[in-house]
Amino acid sequence: MKDLPARRLLLVHAHPDDESINNGATMARYAAEGAHVTLVTCTLGEEGEVIPPALAHLAADRDDALGPHRVGELAAAMKELGVTDHRFLGGAGRFRDSGMLGTEQNERPGAFWATPVDEAAGPLVEIVREVRPQVLVTYDPDGGYGHPDHIQAHRVAMRAAELAADPAYGTDAPHTIAKVYWNRVERSVVEAAFDRLRTTAPDTFPGIAAVTDVPGVVDGDGITAEIDGTAYAGAKAAAMRAHATQIVVEGEGEGKGAGAFFALSNGLGQPLLTTEYYQLVRGVPGAAGGAREDDLFAGLPGVGLGAEAVRESEPGSGSTSGPGSASYADPGAGHGSGSEAGA
Ligand SMILES: [Zn+2]
């Protein structure tokens, strides 16, 4: 891929739908601005529950045909976000959804959770070295909420970033990802959104979820970047709606996604957030004085708006001494890398 845009963003997710819920507005924004957005989804989400009764037969305990169906849902969602480069880790179906923690599916042969981290990281290293992203987005060490595939996606993404930068690993030119972010949600923001939802929830929701049901919630000081995706609220809502077996979206204001709510298979309403939050855990912050970044590429050389025509310098020329390799930020107490070892 020789003619990649100057700005390149890679997102690693566990199942189809996670990308739209967590990063839909961010992905739509960068795609619209001309950045190259690459989504890698680690499983087909075969173990997901199915919301529409007419499709209930697809479930793993019936026809076990949900995976291929969700491939189509993901493709439709990416169309809504304007993202053309979306791939499954190792190819569609290579790693199977591991189910919720403690189920027998966790240890099934081929389950993502049962795969050694380095084995699953291999195909991701290939993608990193091909696309050469400056920015990686994935989950925190808990996977945001403890789902085995989300925890494993975190481990595999972090390990692939490390291996891709290692000249001793493989034969392709190494690449150092300058900035790595974990998905976050700001506690005060989501609390206020739930308050609003309690007064306006559609009758179709049997109840309202709790803040503890939202992955990645932290206090404001755990957040270093805030992406205002208001202009892409409609695209995010449409992408989430494309995952029709998994998500119901309601309450949109004038079709633009503003004020929308959604529910997963438990039917409990949650606010659809169009400002998306991140914590920089590797790399140099691009905002002065500890202020929040409003751009995940902030501070990177040669990637400002309008820089999309600029090509990257020769592969490998800065890969071991480039931005980020020398001065990785401390991710902070409680979110450190100490819990990342092992599987
Ligand atoms: Zn998921």
Side-chain angles (χ1 to χ4, degrees):
M1 302 182 80
K2 282 186 188 164
D3 294 317
L4 288 170
R7 295 185 299 169
R8 298 177 301 277
L9 168 65
L10 170 66
L11 304 101
V12 177
H13 276 290
H15 311 113
D17 80 354
D18 293 317
E19 79 297 324
S20 297
I21 297 169
N22 285 279
N23 313 110
T26 302
M27 293 170 75
R29 171 187 151 179
Y30 284 112
E33 289 179 359
H36 188 85
V37 179
T38 302
L39 169 68
V40 176
T41 307
C42 297
T43 78
L44 305 188
E46 296 95 330
E47 299 294 325
E49 292 181 39
V50 177
I51 296 174
L55 296 174
H57 64 93
L58 295 173
D61 59 359
R62 293 181 61 185
D63 297 350
D64 195 15
L66 185 55
H69 186 84
R70 293 184 72 175
V71 172
E73 290 184 341
L74 182 63
M78 291 307 94
K79 222 169 179 177
E80 299 291 353
L81 299 181
V83 171
T84 54
D85 184 9
H86 52 96
R87 317 168 184 209
F88 288 96
L89 184 66
R94 166 87 178 268
F95 302 110
R96 170 128 184 161
D97 186 329
S98 312
M100 299 302 284
L101 196 62
T103 61
E104 63 182 24
Q105 287 92 324
N106 294 174
E107 302 307 326
R108 180 198 328 236
F112 189 44
W113 179 247
T115 305
V117 170
D118 278 19
E119 182 183 326
L124 188 54
V125 172
E126 284 178 30
I127 294 169
V128 169
R129 287 177 168 182
E130 174 198 333
V131 177
R132 312 184 79 73
Q134 296 101 334
V135 177
L136 167 67
V137 169
T138 190
Y139 312 109
D140 66 26
D142 183 46
Y145 73 111
H147 189 295
D149 289 327
H150 287 237
I151 294 171
Q152 183 80 337
H154 160 84
R155 291 174 177 167
V156 167
M158 299 302 283
R159 181 64 174 144
E162 194 180 326
L163 290 174
D166 181 356
Y169 182 87
T171 53
D172 295 335
H175 176 72
T176 299
I177 300 172
K179 300 173 87 176
V180 178
Y181 291 92
W182 292 342
N183 288 306
R184 292 299 186 199
V185 172
E186 182 160 9
R187 189 180 312 281
S188 62
V189 170
V190 76
E191 281 173 354
F194 269 110
D195 285 345
R196 193 164 51 94
L197 177 53
R198 273 182 212 102
T199 62
T200 54
D203 300 338
T204 43
F205 292 163
I208 308 295
V211 171
T212 50
D213 294 323
V214 178
V217 174
V218 291
D219 294 331
D221 57 6
I223 290 166
T224 66
E226 177 177 331
I227 302 299
D228 180 357
T230 310
Y232 303 98
K236 177 170 181 169
M240 289 174 64
R241 194 177 286 109
H243 292 289
T245 61
Q246 306 299 308
I247 304 173
V248 173
V249 179
E250 305 220 34
E252 277 182 271
E254 299 176 5
K256 289 190 163 186
F261 315 117
F262 72 98
L264 303 173
S265 61
N266 63 11
L268 301 177
Q270 294 189 39
L272 193 163
L273 303 176
T274 53
T275 295
E276 295 169 341
Y277 300 88
Y278 301 91
Q279 179 183 11
L280 181 71
V281 296
R282 302 275 190 279
V284 181
R292 279 187 192 175
E293 298 172 313
D294 59 4
D295 175 8
L296 301 182
F297 293 88
L300 296 174
V303 296
L305 270 178
E308 304 308 350
V310 179
R311 297 235 194 115
E312 195 195 16
S313 56
E314 276 301 295
S317 64
S319 54
T320 56
S321 58
S325 62
S327 49
Y328 279 166
D330 178 6
H335 304 297
S337 56
S339 55
E340 288 168 39

